[in-house]
Amino acid sequence: RDYKVTGVQTCALPISKPFATTDALLDALERATDGLRDVRAAVTYVRTDAITEDREIRIGRIVLEQPAGDATKRRFGIAFDRYIDAAGHASPQVQRFAFGDGWLAEFDDARRQCIERQLVPEGAKLDPLRLGEGPLPLPVGQRADEVRRRFTVSLAPAPDAPLLRRLEGVQGLVLVPKPGSGVDEDFSEVRVWYDLRNFAPVGVVASLKGGDTKTVLLREVRVNAGLDAAARSMLEDRKSTRLNSSHLVISYAVFCLKK
């Protein structure tokens, strides 16, 4: 199956020339991170079974906000509102995640549940989009030294995954987890392609140890463009969503099951 990719980046920004080395690209990515305040985009997430080659697809939106350059104080929200099963049948199945103050909340509309997980103990720090720690393999704003410490890094060829093959103006990295990195237990390899206009990640292919793959495409990416009311509603913290059941983000009484 082929996928049509549109609107990966509509801003009229100049495209940087491809970098000759991994270090040069990693350093450019880190410089872009220093001023990062917010990101919003449409997201398509595909999980492919290694044995049957069946694909399950989720389509939605992602929002991130942080103080400039401080990934440890990030808030993010992911809302999937469309699901396509292995047979190609689409349904308006909603699945939502929100992270803030160290807690990751997963909202299940069908079951009318909110499952909260404390990812960060009180006083500790965590980047919720660091590989291996969040709900999606989507590294945003990773520091160069940390990437080198956790992965063996090389330049990636052009993407050939059906979902990503029409990406243009991008350059990628191949990340192979090092033993003891905390990622090596789950992933055998992660490939990330960055838009050379703004250095935002727009495509990811994560190969799991069992052979399955997770592919992520970001479209209509906006970096430091500010967040509108709809985007901010996705960042609603767990207390206010629980108290305000009439809010846009939540339309029923949420029962939270802490783990």
Side-chain angles (χ1 to χ4, degrees), residues 94 96 106-115 245 250-257:
V94 177
R96 292 175 286 120
E106 179 179 353
F107 301 94
D108 186 331
D109 285 18
R111 297 180 180 177
R112 298 179 177 242
Q113 291 179 341
C114 166
I115 301 175
S245 61
I250 202 100
S251 59
Y252 50 74
V254 176
F255 299 93
C256 292
L257 308 176

Side-chain angles (χ1 to χ4, degrees), residues 12-45:
L13 299 175
I15 300 177
S16 174
K17 293 181 179 180
F19 294 88
T21 66
T22 58
D23 284 344
L25 178 53
L26 285 171
D27 289 343
L29 293 170
E30 181 166 320
R31 287 194 298 272
T33 297
D34 289 339
L36 183 65
R37 300 185 304 275
D38 57 75
V39 179
R40 54 190 169 102
V43 59
T44 301
Y45 169 60

Side-chain angles (χ1 to χ4, degrees), residues 14 31 56 95 111 133 191 204 210-211 216 219 221 226-227:
R31 287 194 298 272
E56 293 187 352
Q95 184 179 32
R111 297 180 180 177
E133 292 180 349
R191 298 189 177 204
V204 180
V216 179
R219 312 179 316 281
V221 180
L227 302 180

Side-chain angles (χ1 to χ4, degrees), residues 144-183:
D145 287 347
E146 181 186 7
V147 173
R148 296 185 188 102
R149 178 176 58 82
R150 301 175 74 209
F151 301 94
T152 300
V153 187
S154 59
L155 294 176
D160 58 4
L163 185 65
L164 307 181
R165 62 168 58 124
R166 295 190 186 184
L167 286 174
E168 297 179 349
V170 300
Q171 187 171 15
L173 294 171
V174 179
L175 308 176
V176 178
K178 293 180 179 179
S181 63
V183 191

